[in-house]
Amino acid sequence: RIEIAAAGGPAPIRVSGNVPDPQSGESLDAALASAFNPSQVQSVYDYASGAPVQGWADGVARLAATAAPLHQWRMVVEDATVHLSGEADSRADADKIILAAARVAGELGFTLSNDITLPAGETVDQGNDQQNNDTTTPPPPVNNVLDLAELNRQIQQYASCGQLRASGGNGVELGPDEGVTISGTLARLDDVDVLDLVLNDLTGGREVTYNVLILNPPVCAITEFLPEGQEQGVAFEFSYGSKEGLAPGGLYHAGENPVIDVTLPVDAQGFLYVSYFDSNGKVINMLPMQARPANNVPSIGEVEGNHRTIRITYPAEIAKQDSNAKIGFSVLPPYGTSLIVAILTPTPLFDGMRARVESFEALMEDLAPRRDLLADPRTRIVSRYLVTEE
């Protein structure tokens, strides 16, 4: 549940409720500060698991931005139900705001109700408790204006690795001469060719720009299998073995030496498992392994302040001194996008030690019966892409 309220003008935007982790709270604050500049954002969050959809807090920020023209407004989001109240300057403004909020709610799969009033106190009735993720086909576009909510609904049948998102125009619709941007992830490069053909028809020949990450079927499969929103303060930190600084976006070039750490709150406890999924369907189990069997937190890692850091891959020179227990590597072809996953469970995830290298299918076969443990509120899961290029 998140509640956002403002008294209008330069008054602060007050936010309270639940977010999955501190990073989500910071992201929501930043989005609201941008949408309601120069108003300050004053927020108080409790951290909770079980977000209704991926990116739930980001969706709340998009919804709140539609309320910017209102006076003394309030938005309450509970799970996927949204109620917006406030005062508009005119009936025309109220209609535009409600339409914009309904379109965003539809894209997110949320249900929207509203209580928008005019200065004289008249209520603008737009049908409270309406279901805005209706999948019926709307009427054809008028004057070649393209409805983004409908386009977003149609392109999901061509998504091969999570949801795709179409954006552009004013965020609600595209004018006759406006192009569209497709964002998200795809399993194969060939999927772009399929989208090209489909979008030429769906968009009436508009220019299409792609902002997509090409992954691979194994990485997509593990990403979709694992529960979302369970980071709870666990994170990866990517740096280098031969130079200072962090690796922006997890991107490494040929010859560079990725150094990977898992960071977690100092009070976290459990059994830590870290695996690397490459583009060929191979899984490298980095922790625990035969030469490094200890994975019981808090008995491993180094504590600094409020965080514990557990090194997973080392600078190559250090790894050479103990190649059995310490993993160190340099980037070589083939290049592409891989995924590294850390899972901290309250009880052991597996009965014994897994092979250092195994097939994706073998690991998934053993993970499938453990869905309940993975979904346990005490289990913490974080994943991050590692991208290599020449």
Side-chain angles (χ1 to χ4, degrees):
R1 184 181 191 277
I2 288 182
E3 179 177 331
I4 307 174
I13 310 298
R14 302 186 185 278
V15 194
S16 62
N18 307 118
V19 290
D21 49 50
Q23 292 79 13
S24 296
E26 292 169 4
S27 176
L28 177 55
D29 287 351
L32 292 172
S34 175
F36 296 97
N37 184 50
S39 295
Q40 292 185 335
V41 177
Q42 299 178 353
S43 59
V44 178
Y45 296 120
D46 292 321
Y47 304 122
S49 60
V53 295
Q54 183 180 14
W56 180 72
D58 292 333
V60 171
R62 288 181 58 205
L63 277 165
T66 66
L70 290 172
H71 305 295
Q72 302 181 39
W73 60 273
R74 179 172 176 262
M75 177 177 285
V76 178
V77 184
E78 294 190 28
D79 293 328
T81 301
V82 187
H83 183 74
L84 173 63
S85 58
E87 182 181 293
D89 285 330
S90 66
R91 181 174 294 276
D93 285 347
D95 290 342
K96 290 179 182 178
I97 294 163
I98 293 169
L99 176 61
R103 293 283 172 80
V104 173
E107 291 177 20
L108 298 170
F110 288 5
T111 300
L112 173 72
S113 63
N114 69 81
D115 182 17
I116 307 298
T117 61
L118 303 179
E122 179 184 359
T123 299
V124 181
D125 183 11
Q126 292 290 329
N128 285 348
D129 299 319
Q130 56 186 312
Q131 184 70 33
N132 290 294
N133 57 346
D134 185 11
T135 57
T136 57
T137 303
V142 179
N143 297 326
N144 204 25
V145 171
L146 185 64
D147 183 295
L148 274 174
E150 172 60 14
L151 178 61
N152 270 291
R153 186 188 71 82
Q154 292 179 342
I155 64 175
Q156 299 316 316
Q157 60 187 304
Y158 305 99
S160 59
C161 188
Q163 278 203 328
L164 295 171
R165 179 172 177 265
S167 60
N170 61 6
V172 175
E173 58 190 15
L174 298 174
D177 300 320
E178 293 180 309
V180 60
T181 297
I182 304 298
S183 305
T185 54
L186 292 170
R188 308 165 191 83
L189 188 58
D190 291 348
D191 295 337
V192 178
D193 297 331
V194 174
L195 274 175
D196 268 337
L197 292 173
V198 171
L199 286 168
N200 188 58
D201 280 342
L202 293 180
T203 67
R206 284 173 169 81
E207 180 181 358
V208 178
T209 301
Y210 290 98
N211 179 26
V212 297
L213 178 63
I214 306 299
L215 299 178
N216 51 74
V219 168
C220 290
I222 189 64
T223 301
E224 293 177 3
F225 174 83
L226 293 172
E228 298 171 348
Q230 292 191 191
E231 293 89 349
Q232 302 179 61
V234 180
F236 280 110
E237 187 173 276
F238 287 1
S239 57
Y240 304 93
S242 56
K243 61 182 180 180
E244 297 294 324
L246 300 179
L251 173 64
Y252 292 95
H253 295 90
E256 291 181 334
N257 171 202
V259 171
I260 302 171
D261 295 308
V262 173
T263 64
L264 57 163
V266 70
D267 60 350
Q269 297 184 23
F271 297 86
L272 182 65
Y273 299 84
V274 181
S275 298
Y276 180 87
F277 297 79
D278 73 9
S279 58
N280 297 315
K282 183 172 64 178
V283 181
I284 300 173
N285 294 309
M286 296 177 159
L287 187 76
M289 58 183 185
Q290 199 68 42
R292 192 184 177 188
N295 71 327
N296 189 0
V297 178
S299 67
I300 58 174
E302 302 292 332
V303 173
E304 183 176 344
N306 295 323
H307 289 85
R308 179 181 304 276
T309 299
I310 300 168
R311 178 138 293 180
I312 305 301
T313 67
Y314 291 78
E317 291 303 315
I318 295 177
K320 284 180 183 178
Q321 300 169 17
D322 187 1
S323 58
N324 288 325
K326 295 178 179 177
I327 300 172
F329 67 98
S330 296
V331 173
L332 299 170
Y335 308 114
T337 301
S338 302
L339 186 76
I340 185 166
V341 177
I343 303 175
L344 183 70
T345 52
T347 58
L349 183 59
F350 301 110
D351 295 333
M353 193 76 62
R354 302 196 69 81
R356 175 79 170 267
V357 180
E358 64 180 324
S359 70
F360 171 78
E361 291 77 13
L363 179 62
M364 290 301 293
E365 184 177 346
D366 285 348
L367 277 179
R370 293 165 169 81
R371 286 181 180 272
D372 288 346
L373 179 55
L374 293 172
D376 189 307
R378 297 169 296 172
T379 294
R380 308 184 187 204
I381 302 174
V382 64
S383 62
R384 189 172 173 188
Y385 298 124
L386 190 150
V387 185
T388 60
E389 62 181 37
E390 191 171 1

